[in-house]
Amino acid sequence: CLPRNLYPDILADLRNWYTRESGDYLMTEMPDFYIGIMWIELVFQWPLVFVNLYGILASMPWFNITCLSYGISLFTSMVIIHIASVP
């Protein structure tokens, strides 16, 4: 979902190798819904990872709620990707 020139060459080579070996059409075609899911992960899920780490280390009482929010978002993303990848 980010411009390709932002990635180091080694990551671009790794992506190309993965798509050649696995034939993953989501990585080769990059449909619009897949890019949307990636943006949700960047904007919502990644910050929640750091908030949850802080909640674990500081024993915060809201930790269960943020973990549930992260889990629901991750589960929804994975279900959509699974449904799209089944022929």
Side-chain angles (χ1 to χ4, degrees), residues 3-37:
R4 293 182 192 249
N5 61 353
L6 292 178
Y7 297 107
D9 290 336
I10 191 164
L11 287 180
D13 294 341
L14 181 64
R15 181 183 178 275
N16 291 335
W17 171 81
Y18 171 76
T19 55
R20 263 194 329 273
E21 293 296 317
S22 68
D24 187 358
Y25 92 96
L26 291 175
M27 293 294 285
T28 55
E29 295 179 18
M30 299 290 277
D32 292 336
F33 78 90
Y34 187 70
I35 293 172
I37 290 172

Side-chain angles (χ1 to χ4, degrees), residues 46-57 60 62-63 66:
W46 274 100
L48 269 179
V49 167
F50 297 111
V51 169
N52 286 337
L53 285 174
Y54 171 72
I56 290 170
L57 297 174
M60 300 305 264
W62 43 259
F63 170 69
T66 57

Side-chain angles (χ1 to χ4, degrees), residues 1-2 7 36-48:
C1 62
L2 298 173
Y7 297 107
I37 290 172
M38 295 301 111
W39 274 109
I40 288 172
E41 287 187 6
L42 282 173
V43 172
F44 181 70
Q45 290 180 356
W46 274 100
L48 269 179

